[in-house]
Amino acid sequence: MRIFIVSDSIGETGELVAKAALSQFEQVYHKAQIKRFTHIDSLEHIEEIVSLAKLHGALIIYTLVRDDMKQHINLLAEKVNVEIIDLMGPVIKSFEKIIGTQAMQEPGLVRRLDEDYFAKIEAVEFAVKYDDGRDPRGLLQADIVLVGVSRTSKTPLSQYLANKRWKVANVPLVPEVDPPEELFQIDPSKCFGLIINPEKLNSIRRERLKAIGLSDDANYAKIERIQEELKHFDRVVERIGCEVIDVTNRAVEETANIIISKRQEYLRKK
């Protein structure tokens, strides 16, 4: 028994279904010959495949999504008496009826959607792994590096960017701790310093201390301490040579859009 899998993508779905069905026929399962015809994008290809199927007595299973190609292969197969099965058509028609929208008829979308999903998962895992300066080696692998003093939204921003499929690492800057050397080895264009108004940061830190049950007059929230940290921040970002973004009155989404725009612009120019 011969089976031709005809697909405008890679034909994986058709082959899996064919094998699943064949498994119910033990006497032919290991004898059946399955051949994939992938990335079929022209009517001429279809004509050649139907001719081969007629010659070899093959069954055609197809997962084409374009109406013109489906109509063409059905007409040709009927004309030369080749058995043919449309795997996707009935499912798509039912979806169109339920959803009330026409299918896009664009090949290979499921693979692209899957790749997009896994790229997002990988970026989110990366952001978690290299959050808060946990492992400086991540700085060399990151698409974007964020630096800033405590409570400048580095972590929420990292997660937001990760959901846009950017691999992000962030480093907290504290006067008593030397920044990792990797920070000065990266391309400055992928690094962004996050600056904030001292009074605004003072308010944020005081609220944070109260939220965790501590006194809001701790050194962490004192304006003198904040100014010391911001001076240290200035020295570090000047040494890196990176761009600085004021996040004082910006939502995470707004800051992220600025960063994405600048990164995309830089990458286009490369």
Side-chain angles (χ1 to χ4, degrees):
M1 181 179 187
R2 293 176 186 263
I3 301 170
F4 287 179
I5 309 297
V6 182
S7 174
D8 42 28
S9 185
I10 64 171
E12 186 178 44
T13 300
E15 183 169 346
L16 286 172
V17 172
K19 286 181 175 179
L22 279 170
S23 70
Q24 300 299 311
F25 303 90
E26 188 176 359
Q27 67 273 28
V28 298
Y29 182 77
H30 294 292
K31 298 177 184 177
Q33 298 177 32
I34 299 176
K35 179 175 176 57
R36 286 197 211 181
F37 294 87
T38 62
H39 303 292
I40 302 304
D41 59 3
S42 73
L43 301 182
E44 290 76 17
H45 284 162
I46 286 175
E47 290 166 6
E48 293 171 7
I49 293 165
V50 173
S51 295
L52 280 172
K54 176 63 176 176
L55 181 64
H56 295 289
L59 161 69
I60 292 177
I61 297 176
Y62 70 86
T63 56
L64 303 168
V65 295
R66 279 173 42 190
D67 282 342
D68 60 331
M69 298 184 77
K70 289 192 287 186
Q71 289 168 6
H72 196 59
I73 197 168
N74 284 331
L75 285 171
L76 289 175
E78 184 179 1
K79 188 181 292 185
V80 297
N81 199 29
V82 167
E83 190 73 24
I84 192 164
I85 300 170
D86 176 8
L87 280 186
M88 296 283 285
V91 180
I92 289 175
K93 285 296 180 188
S94 293
F95 281 5
E96 286 178 336
K97 185 178 179 181
I98 294 167
I99 298 168
T101 305
Q102 290 291 309
M104 290 185 285
Q105 298 188 24
E106 188 176 340
L109 281 181
V110 67
R111 183 155 294 273
R112 266 179 277 164
L113 290 170
D114 284 347
E115 287 172 356
D116 181 72
Y117 172 77
F118 286 115
K120 184 185 292 187
I121 294 299
E122 185 181 358
V124 170
E125 290 176 347
F126 186 96
V128 171
K129 183 175 182 179
Y130 298 111
D131 183 43
D132 210 29
R134 286 177 188 163
D135 185 346
R137 292 173 297 181
L139 302 176
L140 304 175
Q141 304 167 39
D143 300 319
I144 294 170
V145 174
L146 306 175
V147 296
V149 301
S150 175
R151 311 311 295 176
T152 48
S153 298
K154 295 185 298 301
T155 296
L157 187 54
S158 294
Q159 287 296 321
Y160 185 92
L161 290 165
N163 273 280
K164 301 292 183 182
R165 302 180 304 284
W166 295 90
K167 292 182 179 179
V168 187
N170 71 72
V171 179
L173 298 181
V174 183
E176 294 78 15
V177 180
D178 290 335
E181 278 305 311
E182 289 87 348
L183 197 54
F184 307 105
Q185 298 169 9
I186 62 173
D187 181 348
S189 71
K190 76 175 184 181
C191 184
F192 295 87
L194 307 178
I195 191 68
I196 189 169
N197 176 274
E199 287 73 25
K200 177 71 173 179
L201 184 55
N202 171 254
S203 174
I204 292 171
R205 288 188 176 183
R206 289 176 63 189
E207 288 302 316
R208 174 60 179 164
L209 287 169
K210 285 192 284 187
I212 60 177
L214 299 176
S215 170
D216 65 355
D217 64 351
N219 189 47
Y220 173 72
K222 288 181 179 177
I223 197 72
E224 296 82 9
R225 170 62 185 183
I226 289 170
Q227 288 171 337
E228 180 187 356
E229 289 185 28
L230 292 177
K231 286 178 183 176
H232 175 66
F233 167 87
D234 288 338
R235 290 192 294 270
V236 172
V237 296
E238 184 177 0
R239 184 179 166 192
I240 298 170
C242 66
E243 184 150 353
V244 175
I245 299 174
D246 190 337
V247 299
T248 303
N249 295 308
R250 284 197 169 101
V252 166
E253 295 87 344
E254 186 182 356
T255 306
N257 287 336
I258 292 170
I259 291 171
I260 291 170
S261 176
K262 290 183 179 296
R263 283 301 290 151
Q264 288 176 335
E265 182 181 359
Y266 173 81
L267 293 171
R268 278 195 301 269
K269 291 178 179 178
K270 281 185 70 176

